[in-house]
Amino acid sequence: MEKNSILKLTDVTKRFGGLLAVDALNIDVKEHSIHSLIGPNGAGKTTTVNLITGVLPVTSGTVEFMGQNVTGKKTYEIARLGIGRTFQNIKVFQTMTLLENIMVGGNQLTKMGLVRTILDFKGAAGEEKMLREKAESLLDKLGMYHLRNEYMKNLPYGRQKISEIARAMMTDPKLILLDEPAAGLNPSERAELVKVIQQSFEEGFTFFLIEHNMDVVMNLSDDITVLSFGKKIAAGTPAQIRDNDEVITAYLGSAFVKNKEQEGAE
Ligand SMILES: Nc1ncnc2c1ncn2[C@@H]1O[C@H](COP(=O)(O)OP(=O)(O)OP(=O)(O)O)[C@@H](O)[C@H]1O
Ligand SMILES: [Mg+2]
């Protein structure tokens, strides 16, 4: 049975001055799937994520999430509708604990503004308790509960990266966009990351994954879209993409070599 679409991009285009960073892109992410977006550096992958999440306005085209047109909505509105994300460059608070870092992801869940928080200690304490319990249960699920009171700066990079996924989960997103989650991870951290994504997928999350590591992409993905210079050059299953001559020429040839080099260096 054909799955429903959860995220649909129709002719999405982004122009930066004379540069067409994303050129009439069509993508259909199916509900409860792992859909990867791959392609060479500068292909427009992060820009696509920024267009989906409303960080950047589209030049033209539409983004639909769960059947609703979300083009032009604010980032917090899109987050509230159920899209979470992580960033290509790690964004954690090094001098806060792991638990506190996760709790930050739920800030937009709380109804109280700053003034009320100051005036209404009891209400604020109740909300903090709610965030704490949620963050603790996420850490428990990801096998990091025992590390909750460690300062972020003392945790290995792989844990820090996984903690960003936990932080994104604080708002109960249906769809999570991951921008290069495996970058900079060593092989065992990478294996742990794959496990976390797989397990979260089994629990019901849908993922839109940007990744250069082909082991991660090929192992996890149901569908893959390939971008080169802003244009979609192929879409299909991992097996179809692996054997696609245009994809090999534009990207995979060098990506496989790069992955091999990285592994050799480790
Ligand atoms: N805010 C911006 N202003 C101008 N140009 C931009 C902006 N953001 C991105 N670009 C350009 O758009 C193109 C696509 O960039 P993008 O960051 O989306 O690539 P990417 O596929 O994520 O690459 P990478 O794999 O290196 O992360 C690049 O040529 C980049 O220089
Ligand atoms: Mg990028």
Side-chain angles (χ1 to χ4, degrees):
M1 200 182 73
E2 183 72 342
K3 283 185 183 171
N4 289 328
S5 157
I6 185 165
L7 178 74
K8 196 164 180 210
L9 275 57
T10 308
D11 293 330
V12 167
T13 298
K14 183 65 187 181
R15 190 180 274 286
F16 293 116
L19 174 77
L20 260 180
V22 179
D23 188 0
L25 180 60
N26 293 300
I27 295 183
D28 194 350
V29 178
K30 300 293 181 198
E31 223 162 46
H32 198 235
S33 70
I34 299 179
H35 190 125
S36 292
L37 181 64
I38 66 172
N41 294 119
K45 303 179 300 293
T46 297
T47 302
T48 301
V49 166
N50 287 334
L51 296 172
I52 294 167
T53 51
V55 171
L56 291 171
V58 301
T59 302
S60 59
T62 54
V63 179
E64 286 162 84
F65 177 60
M66 302 207 310
Q68 186 181 350
N69 187 344
V70 298
T71 326
K73 284 200 186 298
K74 303 258 187 300
T75 48
Y76 68 84
E77 293 174 313
I78 290 171
R80 266 188 207 155
L81 288 171
I83 302 184
R85 78 172 289 186
T86 64
F87 296 87
Q88 182 164 353
N89 299 313
I90 194 158
K91 291 191 182 187
V92 296
F93 299 100
Q94 294 288 350
T95 57
M96 283 164 52
T97 66
L98 172 62
L99 182 68
E100 287 163 351
N101 267 274
I102 309 303
M103 287 170 67
V104 167
N107 262 346
Q108 52 187 323
L109 288 179
T110 58
K111 290 172 204 73
M112 302 190 22
L114 181 63
V115 173
R116 269 196 64 207
T117 307
I118 293 164
L119 296 177
D120 178 2
F121 290 116
K122 227 173 136 191
E127 287 191 343
E128 183 178 327
K129 184 163 176 282
M130 187 266 288
L131 290 181
R132 181 177 298 273
E133 284 170 359
K134 194 169 175 78
E136 283 174 348
S137 93
L138 280 169
L139 285 174
D140 189 34
K141 267 199 290 202
L142 299 177
M144 298 205 293
Y145 181 77
H146 61 294
L147 300 171
R148 66 195 176 286
N149 294 324
E150 294 287 340
Y151 285 106
M152 201 53 128
K153 61 174 183 227
N154 296 332
L155 293 179
Y157 188 67
R159 298 283 193 180
Q160 296 190 15
K161 290 280 272 193
I162 289 175
S163 82
E164 294 195 301
I165 302 179
R167 185 177 60 200
M169 287 174 172
M170 281 293 285
T171 54
D172 292 320
K174 302 215 169 35
L175 171 69
I176 304 181
L177 317 179
L178 302 175
D179 196 350
E180 298 201 26
L185 302 194
N186 65 38
S188 71
E189 291 174 329
R190 216 148 55 212
E192 181 64 27
L193 171 81
V194 166
K195 211 172 83 188
V196 162
I197 296 174
Q198 188 69 46
Q199 180 195 326
S200 308
F201 166 75
E202 278 157 22
E203 273 171 29
F205 289 100
T206 300
F207 285 99
F208 186 66
L209 172 70
I210 294 176
E211 187 45 63
H212 283 294
N213 186 286
M214 283 307 118
D215 283 342
V216 173
V217 169
M218 296 297 171
N219 278 324
L220 283 174
S221 308
D222 297 297
D223 302 293
I224 301 175
T225 296
V226 189
L227 212 54
S228 181
F229 293 108
K231 270 195 179 2
K232 179 162 86 176
I233 59 166
T237 62
Q240 289 166 337
I241 294 303
R242 194 185 270 133
D243 291 337
N244 182 303
D245 287 338
E246 196 179 349
V247 177
I248 292 169
T249 308
Y251 179 55
L252 281 187
S254 63
F256 276 124
V257 170
K258 205 164 125 192
N259 285 341
K260 288 249 154 52
E261 278 169 2
Q262 271 172 10
E263 267 146 34
E266 275 154 11

